[in-house]
Amino acid sequence: MHEHVPFDGAREIVSRSPTRTVGLVNAPWAQPHPIEHESDNERNFVVSALLCPWLLTLVHQPCTLKVSSRKYTPDFSQKFLDGTGAFTEIKMRNRVKENRSLFNDVASQLRAKGYEFYVIHDGQSNADGRAERAEIVRKYGMHTVSPEKRSSIKELLSTAGHEGLALGLVMEKCSVSRWDVLHLVCHRVISLDRYLHMSDDDSVFLAPKMPRNCSKSFGEWFGCSPWNDGGN
């Protein structure tokens, strides 16, 4: 059982720095409350994480922990469909090494409470331009797809196995638009690859089955592992 760590926001963002991108990501089809971010790197993480098939909620600066002799506020917390949870620090790649000792202590403390800890850098949050494609997918969250079209797409993909089917072929066989397909991706009914490639030749899949431990598998969506002593 997880020891309780509060997931409500640690502090409110009240001012905008001229050198930082501060804002909100709204995704009411995924969770009722908007998600704050304080940098482009954090926003890239948010829009990509929201498409992870087993994510339940994502919260910015969920709590403040006492780590050794200092206080530390994780950038985000994640709750997953299987009831597990994780915390994530978003860092520029060149800033990870200098914070390694802190991250070791944070990971150790959170692991003792039953949570995984991730450090995700800019090369992972926007790997292969994924965040830009996530923004495109998100545009169709409020798009409407008829129950008939939804059923047709799911039925076709259910026959495809793990390799999925080309997006263009799904559009042709189900008589649906690209926007219909991206709407279902946005709602995590179906899935693209983790880089969110979406050309006609790229594969579309049924949303993957929930892994044995979602918190340990979350990093796969970003190509990293939970932080252990020395790094992930």
Side-chain angles (χ1 to χ4, degrees):
M1 178 179 293
H2 294 172
E3 182 178 333
H4 177 67
V5 173
F7 274 76
D8 52 327
R11 64 182 177 88
E12 184 179 0
I13 301 172
V14 295
S15 63
R16 294 179 179 272
S17 165
T19 61
R20 305 181 77 180
T21 303
V22 178
L24 299 171
V25 172
N26 288 289
W29 54 87
Q31 61 182 63
H33 305 296
I35 305 155
E36 297 171 335
H37 61 82
E38 292 187 298
S39 67
D40 287 335
N41 196 16
E42 285 191 5
R43 183 181 179 91
N44 289 342
F45 166 76
V46 169
V47 296
S48 299
L50 283 171
L51 296 176
C52 178
W54 43 86
L55 180 71
L56 182 60
T57 59
L58 182 65
V59 177
H60 184 253
Q61 296 184 346
C63 60
T64 297
L65 307 172
K66 186 173 182 181
V67 181
S68 298
S69 59
R70 60 176 291 185
K71 291 182 178 180
Y72 167 75
T73 301
D75 288 324
F76 295 95
S77 66
Q78 298 83 236
K79 286 185 179 179
F80 301 101
L81 294 175
D82 64 350
T84 60
F87 291 81
T88 299
E89 174 74 21
I90 307 301
K91 268 285 183 282
M92 299 303 291
R93 190 198 305 256
N94 61 1
R95 297 291 306 279
V96 172
K97 186 176 181 179
E98 66 190 72
N99 289 282
R100 184 166 291 168
S101 177
L102 169 64
F103 296 157
N104 288 345
D105 290 344
V106 172
S108 177
Q109 183 178 137
L110 288 173
R111 199 159 41 240
K113 298 177 185 295
Y115 297 97
E116 299 297 337
F117 178 62
Y118 289 93
V119 177
I120 295 178
H121 59 66
D122 52 308
Q124 296 164 326
S125 61
N126 192 25
D128 195 28
R130 168 180 48 205
E132 287 88 345
R133 290 187 287 276
E135 294 279 16
I136 294 172
V137 172
R138 199 171 68 87
K139 290 180 180 179
Y140 300 97
M142 303 300 287
H143 178 69
T144 301
V145 177
S146 70
E148 292 78 18
K149 287 182 177 180
R150 177 185 291 248
S151 295
S152 177
I153 293 171
K154 290 178 64 178
E155 182 176 349
L156 177 63
L157 290 176
S158 70
T159 67
H162 297 298
E163 296 184 359
L165 291 173
L167 191 155
L169 181 63
V170 173
M171 291 164 53
E172 176 186 346
K173 286 188 171 293
C174 297
S175 300
V176 298
S177 69
R178 184 180 309 276
W179 324 131
D180 294 331
V181 175
L182 295 185
H183 170 82
L184 296 186
V185 171
C186 193
H187 285 250
R188 297 178 289 195
V189 175
I190 62 177
S191 183
L192 302 170
D193 65 34
R194 69 183 181 92
Y195 297 108
L196 306 178
H197 292 128
M198 57 178 74
S199 74
D200 284 0
D201 294 329
D202 289 316
S203 294
V204 185
F205 316 85
L206 275 181
K209 292 182 179 179
M210 192 164 60
R212 177 176 295 181
N213 187 309
C214 293
S215 65
K216 290 183 180 295
S217 299
F218 178 67
E220 295 173 8
W221 192 246
F222 290 95
C224 65
S225 303
W227 185 274
N228 292 308
D229 286 351
N232 58 9

